[in-house]
Amino acid sequence: DQEVIEFLKAALHRMKPASTEVIASLPVFSAFLTVLNFPDMTSAELEKTITFQAGQYIPLPISEVAIEWIKVGEFEDERGYKQQQVLLISVPQEQIAKYQKIFQEAGLTLRVLEIESLGLARALVGGDPTPTLIVDIGSRSTNISFVERGILRFNSQTDFAGASLTQALVASLNINPLRAEEL
């Protein structure tokens, strides 16, 4: 964390930005996302229901996470009842505190912390109605997002990523890790 803080300070010193307010993205592997189906109900009823049921889906105690939700769709079930789909997002409070501390010590004010998938969907797809699959291959994990009509409808993550590919090339081709990274 200290290296990140020092890097941010150096970047700020060099760039001299007009604002010190920050919007940051959180890697998907630091959060828990799932799509849930609920019967049609008001937003107030839905909020109470999600708050009550979230503990069944989140792998940490509710007291240790921040919870957000976004309505992502509607459909009729096989019996003709209207259902709504909700993207449930939870982030450990510990992760939020870590990001707040990093930016504060760098002299910045963290205004918004969002999941990478949401930012990528907004930046790459926007309001385009075309169903789009975004595959984000990082060093530690690969994130797969399905976006439809500009809304993140599905998100999944796997630990098979860039570092895994590099190691596979090193082992199978018996080459230097730097050369494998170039390939």
Side-chain angles (χ1 to χ4, degrees):
D1 291 354
Q2 197 57 44
E3 287 178 25
V4 172
I5 293 166
E6 295 307 318
F7 176 79
L8 285 171
K9 285 180 177 179
L12 289 169
H13 178 73
R14 188 167 187 179
M15 293 170 36
K16 299 179 183 14
S19 175
T20 59
E21 294 186 349
V22 174
I23 296 173
S25 65
L26 188 67
V28 175
F29 59 78
S30 295
F32 175 79
L33 289 82
T34 191
V35 176
L36 304 173
N37 297 331
F38 293 99
D40 192 32
M41 60 182 81
T42 67
S43 291
E45 291 171 325
L46 184 59
E47 185 160 349
K48 286 180 186 175
T49 303
I50 290 171
T51 302
F52 181 73
Q53 292 191 356
Q56 297 177 49
Y57 302 99
I58 299 171
L60 293 172
I62 296 299
S63 61
E64 295 179 16
V65 296
I67 298 172
E68 290 288 330
W69 58 274
I70 303 166
K71 189 173 174 183
V72 295
E74 295 178 341
F75 67 96
E76 261 189 33
D77 66 15
E78 63 279 350
R79 293 179 284 156
Y81 293 112
K82 193 172 176 183
Q83 301 283 316
Q84 52 191 334
Q85 294 178 304
V86 172
L87 177 66
L88 177 66
I89 304 166
S90 69
V91 177
Q93 295 285 0
E94 179 181 304
Q95 280 296 103
I96 295 168
K98 175 183 174 178
Y99 275 70
Q100 287 171 328
K101 180 179 182 269
I102 287 171
F103 287 110
Q104 182 180 20
E105 289 189 23
L108 298 166
T109 304
L110 181 61
R111 289 287 179 220
V112 176
L113 187 58
E114 73 174 351
I115 306 301
E116 278 177 335
S117 303
L118 294 171
L120 283 173
R122 189 177 53 259
L124 298 175
V125 178
D128 186 339
T130 308
T132 305
L133 188 67
I134 300 172
V135 180
D136 178 13
I137 303 173
S139 175
R140 282 180 58 181
S141 68
T142 296
N143 187 57
I144 301 167
S145 304
F146 177 67
V147 181
E148 186 176 37
R149 290 186 298 276
I151 298 171
L152 179 65
R153 305 274 295 182
F154 174 80
N155 195 83
S156 185
Q157 180 258 325
T158 178
D159 290 336
F160 185 76
S164 306
L165 288 170
T166 300
Q167 286 298 52
L169 288 174
V170 167
S172 65
L173 300 177
N174 195 27
I175 59 175
N176 176 312
L178 292 175
R179 176 66 179 136
E181 189 67 30
E182 288 174 0
L183 292 174

